[in-house]
Amino acid sequence: MAQRVTGLAMGGASAEDAGLTSGLFNTTQVVGGSLGLAVLTTLAASRTESLTGQGADALAATADGYRLAFRAATGVAATGLALAAAVLRPAPSGRAR
């Protein structure tokens, strides 16, 4: 799957722009993953702190914080998958039907 995504990202790049396109693609992957992890960790920690401040058990509050983060990650992944399915189409084969 990763090869197909890389192929889609690099497929339209000219020979002169291949290096720039590759660099932007790789940078986007790294920064996107790091930023996503930071947001989800902050979300989990905030929820855990909120529940602990309301008197909830620390272990239960931590589990609920992670549950919220995993649900948010699932929502983001499902949205990304739906957008990719709607936007990305294979190139026409050139054969007449």
Side-chain angles (χ1 to χ4, degrees):
M1 181 68 168
Q3 291 173 342
R4 289 187 75 179
V5 172
T6 303
L8 286 170
M10 296 295 299
S14 65
E16 296 84 26
D17 293 334
L20 176 64
T21 304
S22 175
L24 287 173
F25 176 70
N26 289 323
T27 300
T28 301
Q29 283 186 313
V30 171
V31 172
S34 300
L35 183 61
L37 181 60
V39 168
L40 292 173
T41 303
T42 301
L43 184 64
S46 177
R47 176 71 175 164
T48 300
E49 184 178 338
S50 174
L51 291 175
T52 305
Q54 295 173 7
D57 177 55
L59 184 59
T62 302
D64 195 66
Y66 281 117
R67 185 178 304 112
L68 177 63
F70 279 115
R71 285 182 179 163
T74 301
V76 169
T79 302
L81 184 61
L83 285 172
V87 173
L88 300 176
R89 299 282 182 229
S93 63
R95 294 184 199 165
R97 291 189 177 192

